[in-house]
Amino acid sequence: MGIVNITKSYDADFVRQVEEESGQDLALCYQCGNCTAGCPYTFAYDYPVSKIMRLAQAGQKETVLKSKSLWLCATCESCTTRCPNNIDVAHIMDVLRHMARREGYAPVPTVKKFWDSFLDSVENNGRVFEVGLLAAYIAKTGRFWTDLDLGPKILPTGKMHFKPHQIQGKEEIAKIFKRYKEGSRK
Amino acid sequence: MSDSLKFAYYPGCSGTGTSMEYDMSTRAVCRELGITLTDIPDWSCCGSTPAHTVDHTLSCALSARNLQLVENMKMDTAITPCPSCLTNLKTAERRMKDDDMRDKANKLLDNPYKGGVTTKSVLQILVEDLGLDALKNKTVRPLKGLKVAAYYGCIMNRPPEVMNFDDPEHPMAMDNIMTALGATVLPFPLKVECCGASFGIPRKDVVMNLSGKLLDAADDLGVDALVTACPLCQMNLDLRQSQINSATDAKHNIPIFYYTQLMGLALGMNEKELGMNKLCVSPRKAINAIGSENK
């Protein structure tokens, strides 16, 4: 990950903010590497999870928030389960993603677009509408060929519905999102 | 005994779509075993992974709406087949015990959640509330001759402080159910490894790699089938098996059952009722292996 000169780039506010939002003590991480050893996603990450922890301790805000790893973590909870110091590492990854989002970073755009399409579907229908989600994702990314080969496999099973399930509380769900968005703008 | 086996039921969004056969077989098996499921009226999406990657209060509120509906039902325990729904509902159940979080999340809701609902997986109540003996007693068609391995996926039992069920590194609930039904269960070394989860669409390469390893391990063991408890795991391994074969130059042909489907067969139900025709990799050879030991 190159040389980090922490005397110049240590961001104390960032460290405090991560600790506050996650309720975790970053200083407890002594870099044993157990989280990375168990993480199935290291092969796709730019920084393994133990390095994200180290960079966070060292207050390297920009490097951490720009990292692809935050967007490729699936929250499989193996890091949290195996941390010998009981640090909820997956929770910290989640909080870092929240911060990255707020700062406008999305270094793995397809993942962000997929998650956003998913939540739009929930906001509009109250439940996820799988076909609609797929269509929205394709519209956002232009990746219309992505799973074309699966059509002939799944269509005959009758599992894909072409209309969303309408729930009575649809408006209630839309209001959850509305209130959330209003609150986060303040 | 069956008087106590009444639960509020949360099918989860995929239960009405891509994991329809999981929902069908869960309902069928519970009915047969005297477990009464009452659907949570007008349940909504728990927000799954995307919600908690955006904000914890939002995620909590989306799950808490459902817990509040369970309170309305005057019931105290909700069960769900889906580990992703389970983890969200259980996390919300826990976070909503914190005054600050409860206030914040309830501000997003029309009807506030008071707290006090417990969430469990269907798997947990089958093992803990019903019990393996009751299951054995109801078995009319033992799965003798069928070699399976149980794949739990990552979050059914993790993190242990939240999930409070089985062993986070070496869960045995499905292994024990399959053994009780008469199947030959082989120990699956990757039983809690992640399949690649919802990255199938945005980062197919990740799923090809991770699910590919699971299928390789299953083939190395020489199983007739894998048994799963998660809609996303099942979809990655079953629907995407042909993609994995092309991407990794493999020739896997492993049926991927929901454990409830095989339970249903052992309880004497017909294949259609269990949604066997909705699997992408044909289950025929595996189903035909049942009883082969007796012949």
Side-chain angles (χ1 to χ4, degrees), chain B residues 158-173:
Chain B
R158 296 194 309 211
E161 301 77 36
V162 179
M163 306 317 273
N164 285 319
F165 167 56
D166 213 341
D167 189 298
E169 297 289 0
H170 190 45
M172 284 300 285

Side-chain angles (χ1 to χ4, degrees), chain A residues 73-142:
Chain A
C73 159
T75 324
C76 79
E77 303 281 356
S78 81
C79 48
T80 295
T81 303
R82 294 172 188 170
C83 175
N85 280 349
N86 294 318
I87 306 170
D88 192 343
V89 185
H91 192 71
I92 293 175
M93 291 293 274
D94 233 8
V95 161
L96 293 172
R97 276 191 280 235
H98 302 166
M99 294 169 80
R101 237 176 212 278
R102 291 200 299 262
E103 306 264 338
Y105 295 116
V108 192
T110 52
V111 171
K112 180 173 186 288
K113 283 173 187 167
F114 180 71
W115 285 340
D116 289 350
S117 308
F118 185 102
L119 289 175
D120 288 347
S121 186
V122 179
E123 185 174 357
N124 294 331
N125 305 299
R127 289 183 195 160
V128 175
F129 167 41
E130 291 169 324
V131 173
L133 157 64
L134 207 59
Y137 173 77
I138 290 167
K140 271 192 183 140
T141 58

Side-chain angles (χ1 to χ4, degrees), chain A residues 22-41:
Chain A
S22 66
Q24 305 295 307
D25 182 355
L26 285 177
L28 285 177
C29 173
Y30 51 33
Q31 289 288 299
C32 71
N34 221 11
C35 51
T36 297
C39 175
Y41 292 90

